[in-house]
């Protein structure tokens, strides 16, 4: 992973949690970490950064490639803004019992595990893609249709991670905001899958059609 991409990922992670801490209130940071689920979320995020470095995972989100589809920069920026807004509101609501539900600790711990599993799925996928990975729906130079590793089973593991995060993080904060946020992420993922599969079908023709028939979009043996 190149230094610029690593720095960008680290800064984004720090900024996201700084926004969450602001929503909670900087006057009571020990209170934020008092519940193991919230502390676990931060710990998993830091562990994920260590894995990115140790495994040299190429998280180059802004690699446009040779055939970017539409004006995606605005969509990605809007998604990041949505994440920041959500993190502020989740932490704000958890401290003040605003839009919260009675979540047992076991459910919150399970949500942390789901968040970690989503990261592992995404890192596995990005490692498999290598330099073909991008936050854009695009094709890279000498683009190949990857059908090995996790891509031999599902076609969109990174989008699966987005859906898992969309559910798990709000549940960690016991927030009803998981409903609108998950639906927003679901709509984003559905549009991206449609655009990506159309692009791959145009590029690889029958090879992609054969690959599509023997794999699942997101969930093995279900969808």
């Amino acid at each position: 992973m190149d230094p610029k991409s690593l720095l960008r990922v680290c800064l984004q992670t720090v900024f996201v949690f700084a926004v969450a801490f602001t929503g909670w209130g900087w006057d009571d940071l020990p209170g934020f970490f008092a519940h193991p689920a919230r502390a676990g979320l931060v710990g998993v995020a830091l562990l994920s950064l260590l894995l990115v470095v140790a495994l040299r995972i190429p998280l180059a989100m802004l690699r446009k490639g040779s055939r970017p589809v539409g004006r995606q920069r605005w969509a990605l920026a809007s998604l990041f803004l949505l994440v920041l807004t959500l993190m502020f509101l989740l932490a704000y609501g958890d401290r003040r019992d605003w839009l919260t539900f009675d979540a047992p600790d076991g459910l919150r711990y399970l949500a942390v595990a789901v968040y970690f599993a989503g990261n592992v799925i995404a890192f596995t996928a990005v490692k498999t893609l290598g330099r073909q990975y991008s936050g854009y729906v695009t094709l890279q130079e000498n683009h190949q249709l990857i059908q090995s590793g996790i891509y031999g089973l599902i076609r969109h593991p990174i989008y699966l991670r987005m859906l898992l995060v969309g559910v798990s993080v709000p549940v960690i904060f016991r927030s009803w905001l998981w409903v609108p946020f998950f639906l927003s992420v679901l709509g984003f993922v559905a549009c991206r899958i449609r655009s990506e599969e159309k692009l791959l079908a145009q590029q690889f023709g029958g090879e992609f059609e054969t690959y599509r028939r023997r794999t699942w979009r997101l969930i093995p043996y279900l969808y």
Side-chain angles (χ1 to χ4, degrees), residues 78-90:
S78 298
L79 181 64
F80 187 61
L81 180 60
L82 177 62
V83 169
L84 294 178
T85 303
L86 179 75
M87 291 301 292
F88 180 91
L89 294 177
L90 290 179

Side-chain angles (χ1 to χ4, degrees), residues 118-139:
N119 284 354
V120 171
I121 290 171
F123 293 163
T124 301
V126 173
K127 188 69 173 177
T128 302
L129 289 176
R131 292 190 60 80
Q132 290 192 178
Y133 169 72
S134 171
Y136 288 90
V137 176
T138 186
L139 296 175

Side-chain angles (χ1 to χ4, degrees), residues 146-199:
I146 304 298
Q147 304 180 52
S148 59
I150 193 170
Y151 285 93
L153 190 61
I154 58 176
R155 300 193 295 279
H156 304 285
I158 295 173
Y159 297 147
L160 173 59
R161 185 261 183 183
M162 292 182 65
L163 294 175
L164 292 177
V165 170
V167 172
S168 61
V169 173
V171 169
I172 292 171
F173 292 94
R174 59 196 181 98
S175 176
W176 283 113
L177 291 175
W178 78 266
V179 177
F181 183 66
F182 178 77
L183 292 177
S184 298
V185 174
L186 184 62
F188 177 82
V189 165
C191 290
R192 297 272 292 192
I193 287 177
R194 183 165 55 250
S195 296
E196 189 170 304
E197 296 209 342
K198 180 179 179 180
L199 180 63

Side-chain angles (χ1 to χ4, degrees), residues 145 147 155 204-215:
L145 181 62
Q147 304 180 52
R155 300 193 295 279
F204 297 104
E207 182 184 5
F208 176 75
E209 181 61 24
T210 300
Y211 170 63
R212 187 190 65 80
R213 285 198 299 266
R214 66 177 179 81
T215 54

Side-chain angles (χ1 to χ4, degrees), residues 29-102:
L29 281 186
F32 182 94
F33 289 97
H35 196 284
R38 290 191 298 264
L41 174 64
V42 177
V44 169
L46 294 176
L47 176 60
S48 298
L49 285 178
L50 291 176
L51 289 175
V52 167
V53 175
L55 300 177
R56 298 182 179 180
I57 298 172
L59 289 178
M61 286 285 295
L62 303 182
R63 188 185 291 127
K64 286 188 176 182
S66 59
R67 289 181 58 186
V69 177
R71 297 181 177 180
Q72 299 178 56
R73 183 180 294 272
W74 291 108
L76 294 174
S78 298
L79 181 64
F80 187 61
L81 180 60
L82 177 62
V83 169
L84 294 178
T85 303
L86 179 75
M87 291 301 292
F88 180 91
L89 294 177
L90 290 179
Y92 178 92
D94 196 6
R95 182 179 181 184
R96 298 161 181 83
D97 286 322
W98 175 72
L99 289 179
T100 57
F101 59 92
D102 186 17

